């Protein structure tokens, strides 16, 4: 009957556990790199805008990726009561700075113009002569084949109005006025204080001079006999 060395078993188990640990660390590192380098799509710091009926608005959208892009597929869609209607669609071939490789997207809306550029990672569009029917959510989709066609999106909301609302600045004006009054009062008090100190100092100097004149120079007799 063959015997098994217990020491060999222990070493073998340690090797297996070490391999599993290394494999786990490799997976975690890969996932970390993947999450950091993934594609990002953004409509900027402001996700909505109010625009006057009949005006032209910019619907912004930019993308970025630390791992690079190739044949990035993007779509602008309009959310019509839960149904996404295509507005614009195109492909960014790569990160080339060659102007001849700029995307030539398909436009599905007669009042839409593509104003993006692959040189600035920009896939924004213009919407001309807007109407109240254009109000709603516009979604910018992007899919990068380098990330197994995983899709990302960002939403921009358009609000159409007859005229822009006037912002009530009453509270702001009141606060600024109060602060201005307080600052002015503090400055006035400081000026008055400085003038008083200056006047008192001059009076002290005058009195000191008179006392020295009456007493005479040091070391002389003031009374004549």
């Amino acid at each position: 009957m063959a015997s098994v060395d217990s020491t060999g078993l222990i070493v073998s188990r340690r090797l297996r556990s070490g391999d599993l640990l290394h494999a786990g660390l490799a997976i975690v590192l890969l996932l970390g790199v993947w999450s950091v380098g993934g594609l990002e799509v953004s409509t900027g710091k402001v996700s909505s805008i109010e625009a006057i009926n009949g005006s032209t608005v910019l619907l912004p959208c930019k993308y970025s990726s630390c791992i690079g892009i190739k044949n990035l597929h993007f779509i602008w869609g309009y959310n019509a009561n839960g149904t996404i209607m295509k507005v614009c669609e195109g492909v960014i071939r790569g990160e080339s700075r060659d102007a001849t490789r700029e995307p030539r997207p398909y436009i599905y809306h007669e009042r839409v113009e593509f104003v993006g550029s692959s040189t600035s990672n920009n896939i924004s569009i213009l919407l001309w002569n807007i109407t109240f029917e254009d109000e709603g959510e516009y979604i910018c989709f992007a899919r990068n084949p380098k990330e197994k066609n995983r899709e990302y999106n960002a939403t921009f909301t358009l609000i159409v109005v007859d005229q822009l609302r006037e912002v009530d600045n009453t509270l702001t004006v009141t606060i600024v006025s109060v602060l201005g009054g307080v600052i002015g009062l503090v400055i006035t008090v400081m000026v008055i204080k400085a003038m008083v100190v200056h006047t008192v100092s001059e009076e002290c100097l005058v009195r000191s001079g008179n006392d020295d004149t009456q007493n005479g120079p040091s070391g002389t007799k003031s009374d004549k006999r």
Side-chain angles (χ1 to χ4, degrees):
M1 181 181 293
S3 61
V4 179
D5 188 358
S6 60
T7 304
L9 288 175
I10 294 173
V11 171
S12 177
R13 288 174 182 174
R14 287 180 179 177
L15 289 174
R16 291 179 181 178
S17 61
D19 292 341
L20 291 174
L21 178 60
H22 292 158
L25 289 174
I27 292 173
V28 170
L29 289 174
L30 287 174
L31 290 175
V33 171
W34 187 270
S35 62
V36 171
L39 180 69
E40 293 183 0
V41 178
S42 172
T43 57
K45 295 181 179 179
V46 179
S47 59
S48 65
I49 188 175
E50 284 189 0
I52 299 176
N53 181 30
S55 63
T56 298
V57 296
L58 173 69
L59 303 182
C61 187
K62 285 194 171 186
Y63 62 88
S64 63
S65 177
C66 294
I67 63 175
I69 64 164
K70 183 177 181 181
N71 295 327
L72 176 75
H73 183 212
F74 69 89
I75 296 175
W76 269 101
Y78 173 68
N79 186 358
N81 296 323
T83 301
I84 305 300
M85 300 175 60
K86 284 185 181 180
V87 173
C88 175
E89 180 180 19
V91 175
I92 306 289
R93 296 181 184 177
E95 298 173 311
S96 173
R97 301 299 177 182
D98 186 0
T100 60
R101 294 175 62 86
E102 288 292 336
R104 297 180 180 179
Y106 295 97
I107 305 297
Y108 302 100
H109 194 296
E110 59 182 2
R111 289 182 286 110
V112 165
E113 177 185 356
F114 179 76
V115 293
S117 172
S118 60
T119 59
S120 58
N121 297 351
N122 191 344
I123 47 178
S124 303
I125 59 175
L126 281 178
L127 183 57
W128 292 85
N129 194 24
I130 62 173
T131 66
F132 290 103
E133 295 180 354
D134 296 322
E135 183 174 276
E137 292 182 344
Y138 291 82
I139 306 172
C140 178
F141 297 91
R143 186 172 65 247
N144 188 12
K146 278 193 173 184
E147 298 179 36
K148 297 183 178 180
N149 288 323
R150 184 176 179 182
E151 190 172 89
Y152 300 82
N153 65 79
T155 302
F156 191 82
T157 303
L158 173 63
I159 303 171
V160 183
V161 295
D162 282 324
Q163 59 182 4
L164 297 178
R165 293 177 294 180
E166 295 184 1
V167 179
D168 187 5
N169 294 323
T170 304
L171 181 60
T172 303
V173 172
T174 302
I175 294 174
V176 172
S177 300
V178 171
L179 289 176
V182 172
I183 294 172
L185 180 61
V186 171
I187 293 175
T188 302
V189 171
M190 293 177 66
V191 170
I192 294 174
K193 181 180 178 181
M195 293 177 63
V196 170
V197 171
H198 181 70
T199 303
V200 171
S201 299
E202 286 186 345
E203 290 180 356
C204 289
L205 290 173
V206 171
R207 288 178 183 177
S208 177
N210 290 337
D211 291 342
D212 290 342
T213 303
Q214 291 175 1
N215 294 331
S218 177
T220 63
K221 295 182 178 179
S222 59
D223 295 334
K224 293 183 180 180
R225 293 181 180 178

